[in-house]
């Protein structure tokens, strides 16, 4: 069974239970699940991380993540048990291919303020791992992930501005270039950041997105409604359409824009990685000044 298909089945199982029944947050149910897992696999509670627990039709469906699992496995255990903790099914973990491994490692860097440091380590590790890979292996990896590895991402050297200064400079430059105020920063979240050399110029690259329900602060319908209203009001006031994705590259020497910012709008035209890896189409959008 492929990794993607298995994940689809896991989600389908959880959704099937959740349609009629709420998510279970029962300490006893988790105790039973952990006892079942330890009996069947040997993994103890301290080696596992809770993912989901739902209840319906007299049985529980649950999933947990193995904290320290082999790099070539997904680390996911998925099971069903009756109300007494007797096993109905328990599967996993599954092997994952090299692209899925790289995807996991890259995405673990995203949506973090220290992304630029984590990403430098991941790129160094993977470039070393793939140094002797054959053509078939390389072609099995999605081109956008290969592009990230080929950007030359490293940790910033001592002779460039530090990350915090660069981050502040991004919003100063955006405000000046787009006629925004400092309030605009809170309307977007940092998704990816990196340091590398672009056309002989040391740069920091930042990619931002609008807020989403995956964030705790915006996880409820009321919170998202309030945010969307605030976002629309801000950009209506300055007679602009609100972007949903922003790509910015600034000089790591001066903190100034290296090129005009890249924007995407709803409905989106670009993949979320296009601005970060600077695909030809994304870079072309700068010259065209694309905005609905």
């Amino acid at each position: 069974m492929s990794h993607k298909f298995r994940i689809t089945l896991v989600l389908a199982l959880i959704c099937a239970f959740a349609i009629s029944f709420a998510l279970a947050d029962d300490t006893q149910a988790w105790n039973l699940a952990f006892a079942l897992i330890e009996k069947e696999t040997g993994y103890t509670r301290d080696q596992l991380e809770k993912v989901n627990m739902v209840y319906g039709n007299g049985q529980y469906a649950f999933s947990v993540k193995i904290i320290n699992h082999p790099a070539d496995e997904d680390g996911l255990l998925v099971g069903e048990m009756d109300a007494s903790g007797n096993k109905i099914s328990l599967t996993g973990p599954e092997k994952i291919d090299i692209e899925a491994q790289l995807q996991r490692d890259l995405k673990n860097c995203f949506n973090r303020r220290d992304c630029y440091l984590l990403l430098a380590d991941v790129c160094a590790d993977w470039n070393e791992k793939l140094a002797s890979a054959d053509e078939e292996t390389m072609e099995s990896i999605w081109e956008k992930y290969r592009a990230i590895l080929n950007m030359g991402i490293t940790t910033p050297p001592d002779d460039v501005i530090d990350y915090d200064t660069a981050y502040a400079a991004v919003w100063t430059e955006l405000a000046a270039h787009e006629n925004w105020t400092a309030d605009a920063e809170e309307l977007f979240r940092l998704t990816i950041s990196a340091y590398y050399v672009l056309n002989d110029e040391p740069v920091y690259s930042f990619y931002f997105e609008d807020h989403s329900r995956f964030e705790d602060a915006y996880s409820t319908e009321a919170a998202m409604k309030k945010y969307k209203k605030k976002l629309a009001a801000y950009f209506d006031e300055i007679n602009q359409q609100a972007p949903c994705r922003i790509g910015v590259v600034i000089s790591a020497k001066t903190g100034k824009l290296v090129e005009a910012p890249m924007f995407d709008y709803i409905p989106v035209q670009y993949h979320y990685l296009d601005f970060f890896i600077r695909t030809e189409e994304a870079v072309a959008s700068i010259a065209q000044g694309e905005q609905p």
Side-chain angles (χ1 to χ4, degrees):
M1 181 185 298
S2 73
H3 177 63
K4 290 182 179 178
F5 185 59
R6 179 168 178 267
I7 293 299
T8 300
L9 287 178
V10 172
L11 293 174
L13 175 65
I14 291 171
C15 289
F17 275 78
I19 286 172
S20 301
F21 302 90
L23 290 175
D25 186 21
D26 188 284
T27 301
Q28 180 60 21
W30 275 114
N31 288 340
L32 292 172
F34 284 126
L36 170 61
I37 293 169
E38 183 171 1
K39 177 182 177 182
E40 296 291 327
T41 70
Y43 285 111
T44 57
R45 181 188 294 252
D46 62 325
Q47 296 175 296
L48 304 168
E49 178 183 330
K50 296 177 184 177
V51 178
N52 273 308
M53 171 79 75
V54 294
Y55 177 80
N57 297 326
Q59 64 189 59
Y60 291 92
F62 60 86
S63 58
V64 299
K65 197 72 173 285
I66 301 167
I67 295 172
N68 294 311
H69 58 83
D72 63 347
E73 294 182 357
D74 63 5
L76 193 64
L77 293 169
V78 181
E80 296 173 90
M81 65 182 181
D82 65 21
S84 298
N86 298 308
K87 185 182 78 169
I88 297 174
S89 68
L90 183 64
T91 62
E94 299 287 343
K95 293 289 185 180
I96 57 176
D97 62 27
I98 195 165
E99 181 187 73
Q101 295 173 48
L102 175 55
Q103 173 181 267
R104 176 198 59 210
D105 290 352
L106 290 173
K107 288 190 173 183
N108 283 342
C109 302
F110 299 166
N111 299 302
R112 297 175 52 126
R113 194 166 180 85
D114 59 353
C115 174
Y116 74 109
L117 295 175
L118 298 175
L119 204 53
D121 289 342
V122 166
C123 288
D125 290 344
W126 273 92
N127 279 322
E128 181 179 355
K129 183 182 297 186
L130 296 173
S132 58
D134 57 28
E135 184 177 352
E136 182 179 359
T137 298
M138 295 305 296
E139 289 183 351
S140 72
I141 300 173
W142 191 32
E143 60 183 4
K144 293 187 191 297
Y145 294 154
R146 296 201 309 267
I148 292 176
L149 297 181
N150 291 332
M151 289 172 67
I153 294 171
T154 64
T155 54
D158 293 336
D159 62 346
V160 300
I161 60 177
D162 62 56
Y163 173 83
D164 289 335
T165 301
Y167 184 86
V170 164
W171 287 102
T172 299
E173 290 295 290
L174 276 171
H177 194 272
E178 301 299 321
N179 194 30
W180 295 354
T181 63
D183 297 337
E185 180 180 350
E186 67 183 32
L187 298 173
F188 301 94
R189 62 186 172 94
L190 176 65
T191 304
I192 310 174
S193 59
Y195 169 86
Y196 64 101
V197 176
L198 174 66
N199 299 328
D200 297 324
E201 172 84 16
V203 300
Y204 283 98
S205 176
F206 295 90
Y207 169 69
F208 301 90
E209 291 184 347
D210 54 355
H211 292 293
S212 77
R213 292 186 179 180
F214 292 106
E215 301 170 83
D216 290 343
Y218 302 92
S219 61
T220 66
E221 184 175 348
M224 277 303 295
K225 184 176 181 180
K226 182 179 179 180
Y227 163 67
K228 292 294 186 182
K229 184 177 180 180
K230 184 176 182 179
L231 180 69
Y234 179 89
F235 284 96
D236 285 347
E237 180 69 22
I238 58 176
N239 197 31
Q240 294 182 18
Q241 180 169 347
C244 60
R245 294 170 174 171
I246 306 171
V248 190
V249 181
I250 64 167
S251 168
K253 290 290 189 180
T254 66
K256 299 298 183 182
L257 289 173
V258 169
E259 60 191 9
M262 293 176 274
F263 299 102
D264 202 358
Y265 305 86
I266 296 174
V268 296
Q269 298 183 54
Y270 304 98
H271 186 272
Y272 79 94
L273 288 177
D274 287 351
F275 286 175
F276 180 66
I277 62 177
R278 302 178 75 258
T279 60
E280 291 183 6
E281 294 79 8
V283 173
S285 74
I286 299 175
Q288 295 167 3
E290 290 184 4
Q291 179 174 337

